[in-house]
Amino acid sequence: MLDLTPKEHSERTALRINSCKTCQPVGALYCALGVHNCMPYSHGSQGCVAYHRTFLTRHFKEPAIASTSSFTEGACVFGGGANLKQGTKNVFDIYDPDIIAIHTTCLSETIGDDLNSFIMDLDIPEDKLVVHSNTPSYVGSHVDGYFNMMCGFIKYLSKNTGVKNGKTAILPSWSNPGDLREFKRLAALMNVPITMFPDQSGVMDSPMTDHYEIYPKGGTTIPEITGLGDCDSVIGLGEMTVTEPCEQLKKKCRVNYEVLPYPIGVENTDKFIMALSKMNGGNIPYAIEEERGQLIDLMLDSHIWFTGKTCAIYGDPDYVLGLTSLVLEMGMIPKYVLTGTPGAAFVNKTKALFDKYDVGEKCVSKESGDLFDLHQWVKQSPVDLLIGSSYGKQIARAEDIPFVRAGFPVLDRYGHPLSPITCYKGAIRLVEQISNALLDRIDRDVPDEQFDVIM
Amino acid sequence: MLDLTPKEHSERTALRINSCKTCQPVGALYCALGVHNCMPYSHGSQGCVAYHRTFLTRHFKEPAIASTSSFTEGACVFGGGANLKQGTKNVFDIYDPDIIAIHTTCLSETIGDDLNSFIMDLDIPEDKLVVHSNTPSYVGSHVDGYFNMMCGFIKYLSKNTGVKNGKTAILPSWSNPGDLREFKRLAALMNVPITMFPDQSGVMDSPMTDHYEIYPKGGTTIPEITGLGDCDSVIGLGEMTVTEPCEQLKKKCRVNYEVLPYPIGVENTDKFIMALSKMNGGNIPYAIEEERGQLIDLMLDSHIWFTGKTCAIYGDPDYVLGLTSLVLEMGMIPKYVLTGTPGAAFVNKTKALFDKYDVGEKCVSKESGDLFDLHQWVKQSPVDLLIGSSYGKQIARAEDIPFVRAGFPVLDRYGHPLSPITCYKGAIRLVEQISNALLDRIDRDVPDEQFDVIM
Amino acid sequence: MDAKTMVLDKYSARIYKNRKEHIIVMDGNGEIPTIAANARSAPGIITERGCCYAGCKGVVVGPIKDVLTITHGPIGCGFYSWGTRRNQAKASKEGEPVFVQYMFSTDMQEPDIVFGGEKKLRQAIKEAMEIFNPKAIMICSTCPVGLIGDDVQAVATETEKLYGITCIAFSCEGYKGVSQSAGHHIANNGLMKQVIGTKDTPIENPFTVNILGEYNIGGDGFEQIRILNKCGIDVRTSFTGDAAIDDLKAAHMANLNLVMCHRSINYIAEMMEVKYGIPWLKVNFIGLESTCNTLRDIGKFFGDQKLIDRIEAVIAEEMAEVAAEREHYRTRLTGKTAALYVGGSRAHHYQLLLNDFGVKTVLAGYEFAHRDDYEGRDVIPTIKEDADGKNIEHMTVEADPEKYHAYLTPEQLEAVKAEIPLSEYKGMMHGMEEGSLVVDDLNHYETEAFTRILKPDIFFTGVKDKYAIQKDGTMSRQLHSYDYSGPYAGFKGAMKFGHDVVMGLYTPCWGMVSPPWKNRATIEAHIGGGN
Amino acid sequence: MDAKTMVLDKYSARIYKNRKEHIIVMDGNGEIPTIAANARSAPGIITERGCCYAGCKGVVVGPIKDVLTITHGPIGCGFYSWGTRRNQAKASKEGEPVFVQYMFSTDMQEPDIVFGGEKKLRQAIKEAMEIFNPKAIMICSTCPVGLIGDDVQAVATETEKLYGITCIAFSCEGYKGVSQSAGHHIANNGLMKQVIGTKDTPIENPFTVNILGEYNIGGDGFEQIRILNKCGIDVRTSFTGDAAIDDLKAAHMANLNLVMCHRSINYIAEMMEVKYGIPWLKVNFIGLESTCNTLRDIGKFFGDQKLIDRIEAVIAEEMAEVAAEREHYRTRLTGKTAALYVGGSRAHHYQLLLNDFGVKTVLAGYEFAHRDDYEGRDVIPTIKEDADGKNIEHMTVEADPEKYHAYLTPEQLEAVKAEIPLSEYKGMMHGMEEGSLVVDDLNHYETEAFTRILKPDIFFTGVKDKYAIQKDGTMSRQLHSYDYSGPYAGFKGAMKFGHDVVMGLYTPCWGMVSPPWKNRATIEAHIGGGN
């Protein structure tokens, strides 16, 4: 497996090998799936959306709907306005969403389609809406596409009516439904009324019912998105992802925000709970304290297997930051930390974490990296554990490293999007998974006389 | 590993090898830990309780308190009455429980100590209680001890005052705290007021707080146990375990009961929900339907990895029955199903399950078996998966079989008691674990060209 | 109202007019109706189609195992086509490279779009040479590349000179054509121009063939080669499953081309016949009867009695081996109905395999086929080209004066043609039953609607629609990736397929979809059948 | 109020009187105080002690690797002593049996209790012979066996005759004695009577020793043997970690017995000295200084200059190897305080290892020790036996006329005794600092109370109390099972121990115990230190 990867690192400036990111449009599409009765719409060639739907479907094992302008060569020459006009009409006719969320592609961006004016020219049915965001594939990554589409919704819909609605807005970074449900559960336990946007739970984890619904029950509703402008305040979950939409909402509707680290691990979750507690007068129910205490208990009980163990973590910036924070809390050394998404802030934030735990000299962090980099690092000096998306499984096999899947995409396993890796419950799940991975390896490798049935 | 185990089966009538059960007292002790402010008390030699506490502590990674009569040779000769008198006095003096729950041991049973009369003679402080059950180690297994202690509490405490309290009693078979919390969560979702007895949640999964409490917050309270006699009805969860306490309660307090299979798997959980729905006028909230639908969805998505795969399941009767039901629902073949606990009903019930799924010819079921039997079966004809307690790990290693831990005891892993394997959520967890185990094995064994990153 | 009318009823006039030509109800009178195909999908319609790049890089070029293929463009396209087609590839021998586990992209950034990406492409090739030193590099362009005017062909020529390796650029921008099909065409042209015929490795066995349009998904190609070898037939190369570049280069030395996927590769088959004199035979290794027919046709082509006897022996042996198992599945499947919506040839091939098990196909459609794939090659001269196809180069070749070779004399060839379908394909519609539907470019809405109306027991399709169909209570299996199973080709593959279908239909949880507190739904509870 | 008073304050008069004799505050005046030990635990007290069976089967007999040990009794005792002590055992050579992975029990049922269990025991032995054909069987009795009058000794004798193997029965019913200690004694007697001295395999090296009271938990014994072998010293056998029955039988051929766990094995050491002339030396491989002293003492005993030089070279090499690492841990641990509550010898041994790292022991206690383990062997003649001990057989042996052998002449022996502690043990209290506490049979309440009062940084104990201590905010590590780590013996083991202690104290989540919405608790946040 990956036998052609040499140990020696050579500088690359042009060739991307085994990418650890993908392009903006899929992020925009995923964001739009988190809006109720919304049809995501890709303004570009039809192949884009075919890839994106496939990718999301494989992660969630759920249908991921989206439409497309189906550019042909002619559209490239004359511009995509006609396609958009016809396309949105057909979508409203056939698929009858309440809203169409358009994102651009490298194609429509390269030819310079002006979506603002195109949309002005559309003949949109009454009570229906069209929003858009620009998501050129050659800028940033799928993470940028996700938050750009959030900005698009906010820009088009959110309003400050002057009357506060008493709600707290939660703007989460790219999350699995299991995590989104966890955010909502905790807010409910705290008695904090919220609007969460976007919210793919109930959409990308919908139950088997014998009756397919193109628009499942879940998703943030349009009035809720409009109402974001009347929220008391905003909690952004994921510093690397949702700062921009928070800022957007502040600019447009003057709602104050606090952006927190994505709540993976103890301290990051503490921050989320503390932020929620500002909204409810500081009341933190025992149930939450109990969950937290169970997590700490578990970490103490099992720390003997983690201390000083090295790991490599890769994936999207907020996931990686959260996971890095958790493994540091567990006493592990996040020897290699890598994201494919560009942005120096990632490196600064990981370094701050390394320094906080005094492991700066033992750890490397990289943005705009790829899995070929990671593999070469591992070849040069191995790690005890690999944490990240499915594509790392090649490295895990090649170098015989225990592997815990987390983040996007996890294409080759089932059930994972249903359960959280965030907040205290999610950390319990991760600690269990990580300890299982490490202990399974010990059980595999020790000689018979060291094979323990107790631990 | 286990290199001395021959493939050829030879009939054994006397030698127990690699037991799949242990003795009654530990079950009684675990039951008593599910009562708030209760001190479990072992009437016998102090070694018993040392073993039992160790065993429970290793499974839960939590303190498991219990006291003992600390028999010496003298007590064996003169009877344990004096020890009991002194022992219970000391417990009340030093550890100040509200109640002491005494169980016997093979020692006190062999010498014929009459606990009823001993307890009559005790000088019990005002407002304090002492209950007991007879749990001879040479009859049945730890499962019998568990339900015998339940009977003991009911016999001593439960009362029919003539005024119904509007509650449903839930009497669960031996469960992890994560499962007990799941039962309570579902009843709360259904708006059915319950008393669950016993309830080790909040006791054997208590949080790290910096302050040890010998009696943690959890456990069924004494008034609740007393109130069992005034409950509207009783739902027993676990046909092989809790029929006797249900019957006991009926006899004593004339409360009707329904004993259901232990709710592992879809149909068994359906029965639990249907039983709860009888108590709330048939209202089943969407949240429960959604969880169920998510489980079915997951099972459909992943069935391709399960169909026709064989597995061996061993452990306590209700766990094994539940797991057998689940794997049949998943399309697997429970080729070997074994419990160490005696009782022909186990074999009858497994056979009924085999017949229901038309796999009777491919499956073997055994009660009063041991892991040596199981290992020999596996040697004769292998399985694709092993499901059960930690002790099976030896077989998994010896025969190189994927292994999923479930049931009691799981001594060599962390975190498992915190999360359910019961009800729809628990089944989601199990399906995920089983699919991971099978897929990890495929990923390990396939040649490079068949190593898929998508599934 | 019949199914077609019911489904079309929802459309606006404009879409109605378009789609009605793509949906055909077979009338069973033996005449093959005309279908609209290879036409653009209307914007806004949720089509399941992919793009030109997907057809070129994803389908044809990607599987070539020892070639380093660089996707020139922003990161997405390279990423999505990484490891997702299940084209199995083994190193030809120890130490030979296998690049299919890797993805390579120029990951174009905004400045590259603004100032041109050639420089970055050149640098990427330099880096690829330094790290991997491959014997060949292929470049596949994505949408922006053509628009900004990067001359990838020039870079390829330069690369060949600079490094002395084979380098081919494919201008397969996603917007070209109307589906993956354009990409197949472009890929085929590239292989024909720059690969096939560039290396004259002689064959060792006169019974040497190429398998065209076999991408070795789930190991199908491995199984076909196993059977052919057992019969005494050598395979020079597949196009392009598990293919090594040197074998592709020497493909013109074979004596017969077997065409599996007519759509994606018939260009090469035709051109090789003209240029190198190699006749092509439409084959089908999917299904027991089909595999037998295919083997017998090959035997007839070579006309060698020993070979023919050997083929019969192999058929007898392999059929005997699967007889009991086939019966087991047939008992469980007879009377079931299926819908098929897949790429270019499977919707046809798998009807025949389903027949082996008594399953009737009620709907079949292609994602990116042309009319000839539905109606047969006879219609080719009548196909009118539209604007979307015009920009895809149509190559013409002529006989190579040096490399042309013919296994059969013209007279022999004519005689054989009377017996076996040489250079001929009758299309999918041929043989489809009265009342069955043929739908081109079946879209999301139509999938949902037809599923509800026709209520097939099984819907074979791709991953994008699979879960929607399944949520609606109909078993669905992926026929692109085989749901991570396979091989499905040949005798043993047919059994694997039978196993998988039975497993899907009989998995017990179908019987548990409706909770007991709801009325039992229409789906019957299927219990048992764990075979 | 001092700690002792505070803790005793809660007790009733009766318990107060009992427990105050078991709790000693060291006064530092050099005199060794008297402690109550090896006395029954009061009923109701949550003692951490186990029983006679646990001492006999669990500690001493269980680790013998090639012997099939049947627990005769109801299932529990056999089950709980299965695989839970981490006694590592490797097959002596390929094909030699290792039974420690197995558990064997007669799983007595009610009829066996009523009608007697001998028949079932005989049948179990028959089945064991048929399946495993072991060279030796040991029978360990649990509580009911003695009460119902099963004559296990007779069954053992019968078995020896019937099958021609060694068979030893231990009447180690759980209620005998007051703790595991009774079981050690019974096991020792059995080994002395029926095993040691029954096979005269000569030694090949005059510097051949036995290690007594080393059960190879976590591989400690392996590490000791590695070091001894490196010095040129052979180990005939350990008692009983990784022990083979044939080596135990020939243990009397060694020239010196090293005693690790004084409590569990000193019986054998004494008897072997009398019977076979083998002096014994109290050793301690736990701790760097201790290991060095131990090795040097052994050198002195054998008196061979080459050996002594080799020992010094080994010490120098091993100490150099760990120097930097030791310093690393010492920096992090100096000034910390520890409490130790473990079995029979570790509460002493580990104080010395902790000293190596600058950790002070504020409380130490034994679960099943006798006064001599605390106060030193000088007090043995003054120990009054109580009723609970009377029923445990006290064997007396005399010199074996044939097998008695002495490595040293009586004069040499006297001379060496002046230099090294031959047949001598000064006990744990010797050297403990003023103000430190010694607690015998520390119970659950006292553990909790002393932890809160003394606030040690680390509490080394067993699994039953570990999690209660940890929940109270104090780091606790299991010193029976080493928390699944080890080996802790020798130079490298000391480093492993240092590593583990540092890891426990500095694991970051100590700093996260109090949620930010609560006042920060007393525990300091320790961050970093992942070494």
Side-chain angles (χ1 to χ4, degrees), chain A residues 172-396:
Chain A
S173 178
W174 186 314
S175 301
N176 273 330
D179 293 306
L180 297 166
R181 286 176 191 271
E182 187 62 10
F183 303 151
K184 291 192 283 189
R185 186 182 71 87
L186 287 171
L189 268 175
M190 297 279 291
N191 260 315
V192 176
I194 61 158
T195 292
M196 190 162 73
F197 165 71
D199 180 6
Q200 292 85 356
S201 71
V203 180
M204 296 310 285
D205 63 351
S206 70
M208 172 69 198
T209 56
D210 250 5
H211 193 78
Y212 169 67
E213 298 283 356
I214 189 167
Y215 309 110
K217 290 187 199 291
T220 316
T221 64
I222 293 163
E224 284 176 320
I225 301 174
T226 309
L228 287 175
D230 289 332
C231 280
D232 292 349
S233 69
V234 177
I235 299 174
L237 294 178
E239 306 163 284
M240 307 299 296
T241 311
V242 296
T243 305
E244 206 152 324
C246 286
E247 187 59 32
Q248 179 85 34
L249 191 57
K250 185 178 182 183
K251 255 191 225 147
K252 189 176 178 201
C253 305
R254 299 182 306 283
V255 190
N256 285 323
Y257 69 85
E258 184 178 10
V259 177
L260 306 175
Y262 194 66
I264 295 177
V266 181
E267 290 202 35
N268 290 348
T269 306
D270 286 350
K271 286 178 184 162
F272 177 39
I273 299 297
M274 292 304 280
L276 285 172
S277 78
K278 285 184 209 159
M279 312 299 160
N280 80 351
N283 288 314
I284 291 161
Y286 176 71
I288 289 178
E289 205 168 304
E290 188 181 40
E291 284 173 15
R292 188 187 186 282
Q294 288 178 322
L295 167 61
I296 301 290
D297 201 82
L298 173 62
M299 287 168 75
L300 273 177
D301 292 352
S302 54
H303 80 268
I304 52 178
W305 305 104
F306 306 133
T307 305
K309 292 284 193 309
T310 57
C311 63
I313 305 172
Y314 60 92
D316 298 341
D318 276 319
Y319 275 110
V320 174
L321 278 170
L323 291 164
T324 301
S325 186
L326 174 65
V327 302
L328 284 165
E329 287 168 350
M330 291 164 74
M332 298 178 76
I333 297 168
K335 191 164 164 182
Y336 310 125
V337 165
L338 180 142
T339 187
T341 296
F346 173 80
V347 173
N348 296 335
K349 283 192 187 296
T350 48
K351 289 207 167 146
L353 277 170
F354 299 161
D355 289 345
K356 183 170 169 190
Y357 286 86
D358 201 18
V359 294
E361 284 175 23
K362 298 170 186 159
C363 300
V364 180
S365 168
K366 183 168 189 176
E367 48 94 15
S368 301
D370 57 36
L371 297 182
F372 193 74
D373 289 325
L374 187 73
H375 191 183
Q376 291 192 314
W377 289 345
V378 169
K379 273 184 177 294
Q380 283 154 29
S381 171
V383 289
D384 298 309
L385 181 70
L386 200 63
I387 307 177
S389 75
S390 285
Y391 287 95
K393 76 187 286 188
Q394 296 181 326
I395 300 173

Side-chain angles (χ1 to χ4, degrees), chain B residues 23-32 142-143 145-147 149 174, chain D residues 80:
Chain B
C23 63
Q24 284 209 50
V26 73
L29 199 168
Y30 184 58
C31 173
H142 57 295
V143 174
Y146 173 86
F147 71 67
M149 192 73 240
W174 186 314
Chain D
Y80 299 118

Side-chain angles (χ1 to χ4, degrees), chain C residues 87-151:
Chain C
N87 305 110
Q88 298 187 4
K90 283 195 267 212
S92 302
K93 54 177 187 257
E94 179 109 16
E96 282 294 305
V98 175
F99 284 104
V100 295
Q101 297 153 6
Y102 291 83
M103 66 134 277
F104 303 96
S105 167
T106 53
D107 189 8
M108 285 171 87
Q109 299 297 304
E110 191 149 29
D112 306 318
I113 300 293
V114 177
F115 304 110
E118 282 178 38
K119 201 177 137 198
K120 193 168 194 187
L121 177 59
R122 272 191 208 94
Q123 176 64 20
I125 290 167
K126 181 166 176 277
E127 290 168 9
M129 289 307 301
E130 283 168 3
I131 299 171
F132 299 102
N133 195 27
K135 62 182 98 174
I137 288 180
M138 306 219 172
I139 302 159
C140 291
S141 304
T142 74
C143 287
V145 170
L147 300 173
I148 63 173
D150 278 359
D151 188 348

Side-chain angles (χ1 to χ4, degrees), chain C residues 84-393:
Chain C
T84 50
R85 288 264 306 165
R86 301 190 76 232
N87 305 110
Q88 298 187 4
K90 283 195 267 212
S92 302
K93 54 177 187 257
E94 179 109 16
E96 282 294 305
V98 175
F99 284 104
V100 295
Q101 297 153 6
Y102 291 83
M103 66 134 277
F104 303 96
S105 167
T106 53
D107 189 8
M108 285 171 87
Q109 299 297 304
E110 191 149 29
D112 306 318
I113 300 293
V114 177
F115 304 110
E118 282 178 38
K119 201 177 137 198
K120 193 168 194 187
L121 177 59
R122 272 191 208 94
Q123 176 64 20
I125 290 167
K126 181 166 176 277
E127 290 168 9
M129 289 307 301
E130 283 168 3
I131 299 171
F132 299 102
N133 195 27
K135 62 182 98 174
I137 288 180
M138 306 219 172
I139 302 159
C140 291
S141 304
T142 74
C143 287
V145 170
L147 300 173
I148 63 173
D150 278 359
D151 188 348
V152 292
Q153 306 297 342
V155 174
T157 310
E158 212 182 292
T159 299
E160 295 211 330
K161 255 187 248 160
L162 197 57
Y163 300 109
I165 63 165
T166 301
C167 183
I168 308 173
F170 298 92
S171 293
C172 54
E173 285 84 353
Y175 54 78
K176 287 188 174 163
V178 301
S179 72
Q180 292 96 307
S181 179
H184 308 147
H185 201 156
I186 289 167
N188 282 205
N189 288 349
L191 294 178
M192 198 63 207
K193 268 194 238 175
Q194 295 186 256
V195 177
I196 300 165
T198 59
K199 193 166 177 154
D200 297 332
T201 316
I203 56 172
E204 291 167 9
N205 176 352
F207 314 138
T208 294
V209 301
N210 299 309
I211 311 179
L212 272 55
E214 172 48 57
Y215 303 102
N216 201 27
I217 288 170
D220 269 358
F222 290 148
E223 183 61 10
Q224 293 167 32
I225 291 170
R226 182 189 72 81
I227 295 169
L228 290 168
N229 289 348
K230 193 171 173 184
C231 294
I233 298 158
D234 280 359
V235 177
R236 165 52 53 99
T237 186
S238 289
F239 281 79
T240 49
D242 194 43
I245 182 78
D246 285 346
D247 294 332
L248 292 172
K249 286 180 174 177
H252 62 293
M253 307 295 283
N255 279 328
L256 177 65
N257 279 333
L258 311 181
V259 173
M260 271 295 282
C261 176
H262 177 262
R263 178 67 266 133
S264 64
I265 207 85
N266 77 89
Y267 316 95
I268 282 179
E270 275 188 290
M271 292 188 277
M272 283 180 81
E273 183 159 20
V274 174
K275 190 168 179 184
Y276 301 112
I278 310 173
W280 64 269
L281 175 70
K282 178 69 184 76
V283 298
N284 178 17
F285 284 98
I286 302 300
L288 296 172
E289 291 308 306
S290 304
T291 302
C292 294
N293 292 341
T294 287
L295 293 174
R296 288 182 175 124
D297 286 352
I298 298 169
K300 284 178 191 150
F301 174 82
F302 286 114
D304 178 276
Q305 194 54 46
K306 256 189 172 161
L307 177 67
I308 289 167
D309 293 347
R310 178 91 200 111
I311 284 169
E312 290 303 327
V314 168
I315 288 173
E317 185 189 327
E318 297 264 337
M319 286 295 277
E321 231 174 83
V322 300
E325 198 177 346
R326 177 203 191 167
E327 206 42 43
H328 176 89
Y329 301 136
R330 182 149 60 183
T331 311
R332 278 155 187 78
L333 294 176
T334 293
K336 304 282 181 198
T337 58
L340 288 161
Y341 178 62
V342 225
S345 63
R346 294 182 187 200
H348 182 191
H349 292 166
Y350 279 82
Q351 290 189 41
L352 306 173
L353 174 49
L354 287 164
N355 277 345
D356 288 338
F357 294 119
V359 178
K360 193 182 145 189
T361 299
V362 294
L363 181 150
Y366 287 136
E367 216 176 281
F368 47 73
H370 298 200
R371 278 183 57 205
D372 42 317
D373 301 302
Y374 291 105
E375 303 172 41
R377 290 182 64 85
D378 293 347
V379 302
I380 290 180
T382 72
I383 296 176
K384 268 179 263 164
E385 196 163 28
D386 64 13
D388 296 321
K390 278 205 178 118
N391 293 319
I392 306 192
E393 182 193 14

Side-chain angles (χ1 to χ4, degrees), chain D residues 86-156:
Chain D
R86 302 190 74 233
N87 304 109
Q88 298 186 3
K90 284 195 266 211
S92 301
K93 54 176 186 253
E94 180 107 17
E96 282 293 306
V98 175
F99 284 105
V100 294
Q101 297 152 7
Y102 292 83
M103 68 134 275
F104 304 95
S105 167
T106 54
D107 188 8
M108 285 171 88
Q109 299 298 304
E110 191 149 26
D112 307 318
I113 300 293
V114 177
F115 304 110
E118 280 179 39
K119 200 177 140 198
K120 192 168 194 188
L121 177 59
R122 270 191 210 94
Q123 175 65 19
I125 289 168
K126 180 166 177 278
E127 291 167 7
M129 289 306 302
E130 284 168 2
I131 300 171
F132 300 101
N133 195 27
K135 62 182 98 171
I137 288 178
M138 305 218 173
I139 302 160
C140 291
S141 305
T142 75
C143 287
V145 171
L147 299 174
I148 63 174
D150 279 0
D151 188 347
V152 293
Q153 306 297 344
V155 174

Side-chain angles (χ1 to χ4, degrees), chain A residues 1 61 393 446 448 455, chain B residues 1 61 397 448 452 455:
Chain A
M1 184 50 54
K61 321 293 183 213
K393 76 187 286 188
V446 291
D448 273 7
M455 267 170 198
Chain B
M1 185 49 53
K61 322 292 185 214
R397 180 178 167 105
D448 272 7
D452 286 328
M455 268 169 198

